[in-house]
Amino acid sequence: MTKAKEKLKQQKSWKSMLRRRKEISKFPCFSWLMNTVQEDPTGFIKSKDLLAKLSALCNFTITRLGTRRYAMLKNLCPRVRCSNCYEANSGRPTRTTCYRGITWRKCMHKELKTLELEDIRNHLPPPAVYLSNTVAVPSDVVCNGNIVMKQILLCDDKWKLQIRGVDIDLESLGIDPTFTPDQQCLNMVIETVQKVRLCMGVSVDEDQSVPFKEFITMTEDANSENYVSRAKCCLQVVGWYSCGAACQQCHKAYKDYMEAELDQDTSTEEEADPVEDQDPVEDQDPVEDQDPVEDQDPVENQDNSIQVEADPVVDQYNMTAEEIDPVLLDSEDKAELILVFDKAFPNALAERELLLASQTEFNREQYPCGRRWDSKVIGACIKLWEESPQSYRALIDSNKFILPSKKTLTCKWNNYGSEKQMLHCMYQVAVDAKLPACGWAGGIIHDEIAVNQELTFKLSRAETQLTGWIETGMEGFHICILNQGSVSQKLCSRALQVSFLGYTGFRFPVCQFPTGGVSASELHTILWNVIAALNLWGFQVDFILQNGNKENHSFIQSCFNKSGKESRYCSTNLAIPSTTIIHSQDFSHIMKRLRNAVLCSGHGKGFKRVIMKNGKEIVWKHWEVAVKWDRDVNDGALCENITDAHLAPTKADKKINNVAEDMLNKDMLLLMESYQCSLGDGSYLNSTIDFLKQTSTMIEVFRDELGIAKITDIRLLKLRKVLMWVQQWQRHVMSEKPIETDKQCSMLPVWKFLDDVECLLITFNDICVKHLNQFPDSMVVPSRFNSDGIEDHFRKAKTLYSGSTIKPNYDTYNKTVIQNCIGWEQYQKLKAVQEIQSEPTGT
């Protein structure tokens, strides 16, 4: 009795489901989509919001859009794409489906004027025309020299569509035939008719004899000539979800005709074969040589039907991956593969091991389109392809390896690199590395690299794009229009790189933008958007690290109501107002500017100022004389690494961190003190030695790889003393009133630069306090608090393709970011895990 009830209940549920499907199929979904959404390249609609509106109208709960309704949406907005978006949910992102490239259509609330049927001809939007009581919309198809017209028949409250005399079933296409005589409804009807797909027939050869043969061309492409076969009862339109260009009736008619032709040819061949050509009966094998009937398998079906044995190859395509046994590679096969691979790429050992491991999975006789390439395999193949396309092609042509094609690699390459994909990759690497909570916290660092002004074509999923224009987002584009007073597009001359710098050493390039030299307003938009995106993926941004150029100063000042010094360079986080952001300076850039300030200090031609401290000069001549004394007097030089490039650096030498720090570290302090002791009266070096004591302390602290685990660390105390020394120096120089203001400024490095030094010393202490209060078991490593990583990335971008002296274009630079991102994956995992397991050895 229970089984009968369950069966009856199941039948009722099936009947209700079928009835619900039939009612949903009658709903004019396409017309609803026309009135609800519209194309917008920058917009997106969440799937759950779209389904909620659709369910409210259908009075049923719809859980997914479905193939047919998505096909309608794709025909309505060709550039729409389905993707995943992430929402912040309890501090962690939650994945949901969204449709990008569309947005909600704005509703018109104003009253519309009612149109009479006689006045419609005066209100038709182009390209519609009024012909003999009908509205005709020309299509893109030219059949036998005549343009195919779509005719709209308007009635009082309904409208009909005819194509070549055939009435179109609008309900089957999800189109609402209701018509109200107003301008909005008229425009919507014509726009709907323009979207209707015409049946193009089945393509045939020019000399092929088929019934109802037509000559088809397209109005947009005069060279698109094609002969087609059309059914006598052609439906004239194609469904939204149809993959082909012909309707079902045309396909069926052509298939029936070809089968009839094949049967006729077969029968003709059988009649032509004479009986005497067959083998005589006596030449055949005797019956007794055949297997006995009792030894054969019994046939269960006794209806005289012919049992056809399944083709093993065709059957294998219907098998799952678990049912197909993998082909295991023995030692001989593996040795042969290694020999072939090493011949093409002798130095790619890591890629070889990865591809050899993947062959066990892909070396099956399965349908090629069923393969799904792992991201690690794609990354390894992209590296090999970029190293030598000819060798990669030779590897494929050897028929020894199953590898992705060049087209697959091109699509993966060009579709990679967007901000969303970089963030997804960054999130995945962090999850795979099992970063602790403190590993998800850190800061962002940004810098620019000069690129060549070139336009390049980029093919991505059958779309051709031009890269090389300045693109800093829609807000940056509108600001540029307001500043210039015109709409213009310029080629980028620089690339802005934004990277994440974690406390545990986790680094990752977040995004890059082609710019012409980023402005403060563009930085304001870009950086806060990046911080908001990182927060959405679960990354916490505590600080922004940047150098001290003019635009960065303007950006920092725009984040404060008064001055940054009064707020200790800590502002409200505009992306997450409940938190704060610390604006800090790059240590490497600070040291290079300190060396440059002393380099310009002296008397004579080429010197801009004379730096003074306590009435004593700090000039570059002191360094030159001390190094010369060290070389002449000491057998073993105290500073062996000091070269002529340190004493007279070129423009390229000034950009190298070690060249600057070698002149300001503790070894140079020891040399200067030794030189002072060798003099009878070396008191004039007191200020120089005092200056070197402060710079050597900064270098010693910020290049220390030992983490700071407590806020009472002695190194933080040393930095506070350096800060007090800088502030005291400023106050002492400015308190000397008899000296003119210009001369006072020449006794110090640039004022804004001294503010940057203060900013670095203040903010590093505050960052340590903030992080250690939030994560007491964590630590802050001072040697990571610089832009060395991003500068190494810039150097690699120059040397990877073009050489160190040639600037890359933006497309080439973008490829290096992608390649480094793929190459960093394993390195970041190992490095992050090692540093997570390490513990501070002291304070």
Side-chain angles (χ1 to χ4, degrees):
M1 190 68 180
T2 306
K3 292 184 178 180
K5 287 184 179 180
E6 290 181 356
K7 187 174 182 180
L8 181 62
K9 185 177 180 181
Q10 186 177 8
Q11 290 178 353
K12 288 183 179 180
S13 64
W14 274 101
K15 289 181 180 180
S16 62
M17 185 186 69
L18 292 175
R19 184 171 60 255
R20 184 165 63 249
R21 285 187 177 180
K22 187 178 294 185
E23 293 179 1
I24 293 177
S25 64
K26 295 180 180 179
F27 179 73
C29 186
F30 186 81
S31 298
W32 176 77
L33 289 172
M34 286 280 296
N35 292 283
T36 306
V37 300
Q38 64 181 4
E39 267 192 307
D40 184 5
T42 61
F44 71 95
I45 296 177
K46 295 180 181 178
S47 176
K48 60 181 182 181
D49 297 338
L50 189 66
L51 294 177
K53 288 193 175 185
L54 185 59
S55 302
L57 292 175
C58 296
N59 295 325
F60 294 106
T61 301
I62 301 176
T63 57
R64 62 188 185 92
L65 197 61
T67 306
R68 297 192 177 189
R69 285 187 285 268
Y70 181 71
M72 293 181 185
L73 184 61
K74 193 71 176 176
N75 281 272
L76 177 62
C77 305
R79 294 185 176 274
V80 67
R81 62 189 188 279
C82 181
S83 63
N84 295 326
C85 60
Y86 293 82
E87 299 177 336
N89 186 10
S90 300
R92 289 294 181 187
T94 302
R95 186 173 69 178
T96 182
T97 305
C98 69
Y99 300 102
R100 299 189 181 276
I102 59 174
T103 187
W104 299 111
R105 186 185 290 270
K106 296 181 180 179
C107 300
M108 298 181 63
H109 300 287
K110 62 180 183 180
E111 296 183 0
L112 300 175
K113 180 181 178 182
T114 303
L115 300 176
E116 300 293 338
L117 293 179
E118 294 79 7
D119 299 334
I120 286 181
R121 68 173 66 191
N122 301 325
H123 296 82
L124 288 177
V129 293
Y130 192 80
L131 296 175
S132 61
N133 298 326
T134 61
V135 177
V137 180
S139 66
D140 298 335
V141 181
V142 180
C143 180
N144 296 331
N146 299 318
I147 298 177
V148 178
M149 304 294 289
K150 302 174 183 177
Q151 294 182 337
I152 304 174
L153 304 177
L154 299 177
C155 303
D156 293 335
D157 57 348
K158 298 285 184 181
W159 67 278
K160 299 179 181 179
L161 177 62
Q162 284 187 353
I163 299 176
R164 304 175 72 177
V166 178
D167 292 332
I168 307 301
D169 186 7
L170 298 179
E171 292 185 356
S172 64
L173 297 176
I175 299 175
D176 186 8
T178 306
F179 177 73
T180 55
D182 55 59
Q183 186 66 48
Q184 181 180 355
C185 183
L186 181 62
N187 295 340
M188 194 62 64
V189 168
I190 294 175
E191 187 179 352
T192 303
V193 170
Q194 288 178 326
K195 297 288 185 181
V196 173
R197 299 172 56 193
L198 295 182
C199 173
M200 302 295 292
V202 181
S203 298
V204 295
D205 296 334
E206 183 178 357
D207 54 352
Q208 188 175 354
S209 177
V210 292
F212 301 102
K213 187 176 181 180
E214 294 180 346
F215 180 69
I216 298 292
T217 57
M218 304 297 293
T219 57
E220 297 179 353
D221 187 4
N223 297 322
S224 60
E225 301 176 353
N226 191 19
Y227 288 89
V228 300
S229 173
R230 192 180 295 276
K232 185 176 181 180
C233 54
C234 176
L235 300 178
Q236 301 300 329
V237 295
V238 179
W240 306 115
Y241 50 88
S242 177
C243 299
C247 65
Q248 296 178 356
Q249 296 295 334
C250 291
H251 275 297
K252 185 177 182 301
Y254 181 74
K255 182 179 179 181
D256 294 342
Y257 174 77
M258 295 305 295
E259 289 178 354
E261 288 288 326
L262 183 61
D263 293 341
Q264 185 178 359
D265 294 341
T266 305
S267 61
T268 305
E269 291 177 0
E270 291 177 354
E271 293 175 359
D273 292 336
V275 179
E276 52 269 22
D277 291 343
Q278 300 179 2
D279 296 334
V281 177
E282 55 269 20
D283 293 340
Q284 298 179 3
D285 295 334
V287 178
E288 54 267 22
D289 292 340
Q290 299 179 3
D291 296 333
V293 177
E294 56 268 20
D295 292 339
Q296 298 179 5
D297 295 331
V299 181
E300 297 179 359
N301 298 331
Q302 301 296 334
D303 54 353
N304 297 328
S305 60
I306 301 176
Q307 301 296 324
V308 181
E309 184 179 358
D311 186 358
V313 177
V314 177
D315 237 12
Q316 191 180 17
Y317 291 158
N318 298 325
M319 298 171 67
T320 61
E322 291 76 8
E323 294 171 343
I324 305 176
D325 295 330
V327 180
L328 300 178
L329 300 177
D330 55 14
S331 58
E332 295 182 359
D333 295 335
K334 192 172 182 180
E336 184 179 0
L337 291 177
I338 292 176
L339 183 63
V340 173
F341 188 90
D342 289 344
K343 186 177 180 181
F345 298 98
N347 299 322
L349 299 180
E351 288 76 10
R352 186 187 70 186
E353 296 300 325
L354 180 61
L355 294 182
L356 285 176
S358 68
Q359 298 309 299
T360 302
E361 180 181 356
F362 289 119
N363 201 4
R364 303 165 175 166
E365 294 183 2
Q366 60 178 355
Y367 189 57
C369 294
R371 300 190 186 111
R372 294 297 179 264
W373 302 105
D374 187 73
S375 60
K376 297 177 182 178
V377 177
I378 289 291
C381 292
I382 285 177
K383 288 184 180 180
L384 298 177
W385 177 44
E386 281 297 309
E387 182 179 345
S388 177
Q390 293 82 5
S391 300
Y392 186 79
R393 173 52 59 187
L395 203 61
I396 295 179
D397 295 340
S398 66
N399 296 326
K400 301 295 183 182
F401 284 88
I402 300 176
L403 299 174
S405 64
K406 180 181 177 181
K407 182 179 179 181
T408 302
L409 296 183
T410 303
C411 292
K412 292 288 185 181
W413 183 280
N414 291 334
N415 290 328
Y416 204 87
S418 65
E419 181 180 350
K420 176 192 170 182
Q421 290 167 331
M422 298 292 279
L423 286 170
H424 180 75
C425 182
M426 175 181 174
Y427 173 80
Q428 193 62 44
V429 171
V431 171
D432 294 342
K434 298 180 181 180
L435 291 180
C438 62
W440 294 75
I444 59 173
I445 179 171
H446 63 90
D447 203 352
E448 286 186 301
I449 180 176
V451 296
N452 280 331
Q453 294 181 326
E454 295 179 2
L455 276 180
T456 55
F457 287 93
K458 182 178 179 181
L459 180 63
S460 173
R461 293 182 182 178
E463 290 185 7
T464 303
Q465 301 176 351
L466 279 175
T467 59
W469 300 112
I470 295 177
E471 296 178 6
T472 56
M474 291 302 297
E475 291 188 26
F477 179 68
H478 293 154
I479 291 173
C480 183
I481 293 175
L482 294 176
N483 292 336
Q484 297 179 359
S486 62
V487 180
S488 61
Q489 190 72 287
K490 295 182 179 179
L491 293 174
C492 68
S493 59
R494 305 184 75 83
L496 174 68
Q497 179 67 54
V498 183
S499 299
F500 179 80
L501 179 63
Y503 290 108
T504 60
F506 177 76
R507 295 183 311 181
F508 210 90
V510 180
C511 57
Q512 55 275 348
F513 295 89
T515 68
V518 67
S519 63
S521 57
E522 293 171 340
L523 274 177
H524 194 278
T525 303
I526 291 172
L527 295 183
W528 291 121
N529 287 337
V530 169
I531 293 172
L534 287 171
N535 178 73
L536 189 62
W537 285 81
F539 293 94
Q540 175 184 326
V541 179
D542 293 338
F543 60 88
I544 301 175
L545 198 62
Q546 53 202 340
N547 57 35
N549 64 27
K550 181 180 177 182
E551 297 299 332
N552 291 343
H553 279 289
S554 301
F555 164 70
I556 294 175
Q557 189 59 36
S558 66
C559 299
F560 299 96
N561 294 328
K562 296 181 181 179
S563 66
K565 189 182 297 186
E566 296 179 2
S567 303
R568 295 184 65 86
Y569 301 96
C570 182
S571 70
T572 302
N573 190 339
L574 299 184
I576 309 101
S578 59
T579 60
T580 57
I581 286 285
I582 299 175
H583 302 263
S584 187
Q585 294 291 327
D586 173 30
F587 165 74
S588 299
H589 190 74
I590 290 289
M591 300 314 297
K592 285 183 285 189
R593 291 189 66 183
L594 268 175
R595 188 276 318 274
N596 294 340
V598 180
L599 187 64
C600 298
S601 175
H603 301 278
K605 186 178 180 181
F607 295 100
K608 299 179 180 179
R609 59 174 53 84
V610 178
I611 300 178
M612 304 285 292
K613 176 69 169 67
N614 297 329
K616 305 294 183 180
E617 295 179 351
I618 304 175
V619 294
W620 187 248
K621 187 178 180 181
H622 295 168
W623 275 262
E624 294 177 343
V625 174
V627 172
K628 186 176 182 303
W629 170 83
D630 185 33
R631 292 175 178 176
D632 296 340
V633 175
N634 298 324
D635 294 334
L638 296 176
C639 295
E640 297 179 353
N641 56 340
I642 300 299
T643 62
D644 293 338
H646 291 75
L647 297 175
T650 62
K651 187 176 180 180
D653 294 332
K654 291 180 180 180
K655 298 179 181 179
I656 303 175
N657 296 333
N658 292 336
V659 174
E661 294 177 13
D662 287 343
M663 305 300 290
L664 302 173
N665 58 11
K666 59 182 180 181
D667 293 335
M668 181 55 66
L669 173 62
L670 177 61
L671 172 60
M672 197 67 68
E673 290 177 340
S674 301
Y675 175 63
Q676 185 185 36
C677 294
S678 67
L679 299 175
D681 183 12
S683 59
Y684 69 93
L685 295 175
N686 289 341
S687 296
T688 303
I689 293 175
D690 195 14
F691 175 77
L692 285 173
K693 287 180 180 179
Q694 314 308 320
T695 57
S696 61
T697 300
M698 292 177 64
I699 294 173
E700 182 183 2
V701 172
F702 282 102
R703 291 303 180 189
D704 193 353
E705 297 182 357
L706 183 64
I708 297 175
K710 297 181 180 179
I711 58 176
T712 58
D713 196 291
I714 189 64
R715 288 168 289 181
L716 295 180
L717 180 60
K718 290 180 179 180
L719 292 181
R720 294 191 191 103
K721 292 181 178 179
V722 175
L723 174 62
M724 294 174 59
W725 183 86
V726 173
Q727 294 173 342
Q728 183 183 5
W729 184 17
Q730 285 180 312
R731 289 193 297 267
H732 176 72
V733 172
M734 298 308 296
S735 64
E736 298 181 3
K737 295 183 179 179
I739 304 177
E740 298 178 359
T741 305
D742 295 340
K743 190 173 182 180
Q744 286 178 337
C745 294
S746 67
M747 296 169 64
L748 291 170
V750 182
W751 275 106
K752 289 185 179 180
F753 168 62
L754 288 178
D755 290 341
D756 293 345
V757 177
E758 286 190 64
C759 176
L760 171 65
L761 299 174
I762 292 173
T763 55
F764 181 73
N765 180 82
D766 293 347
I767 289 172
C768 293
V769 172
K770 180 178 181 179
H771 181 67
L772 295 177
N773 286 338
Q774 184 179 4
F775 302 100
D777 298 332
S778 180
M779 61 181 178
V780 179
V781 180
S783 61
R784 297 172 183 157
F785 205 76
N786 52 61
S787 62
D788 293 353
I790 202 168
E791 288 182 358
D792 291 341
H793 173 68
F794 288 161
R795 199 174 299 112
K796 188 180 297 184
K798 289 182 179 180
T799 58
L800 189 60
Y801 292 102
S802 307
S804 58
T805 60
I806 301 176
K807 296 185 295 184
N809 57 35
Y810 180 73
D811 184 61
T812 303
Y813 173 75
N814 196 24
K815 288 181 179 180
T816 60
V817 175
I818 299 169
Q819 187 164 347
N820 289 337
C821 180
I822 295 174
W824 284 348
E825 186 172 352
Q826 294 297 329
Y827 172 76
Q828 290 288 355
K829 289 180 183 179
L830 297 175
K831 183 178 178 181
V833 171
Q834 290 173 0
E835 291 175 348
I836 291 168
Q837 296 174 352
S838 64
E839 297 181 357
T841 57
T843 57

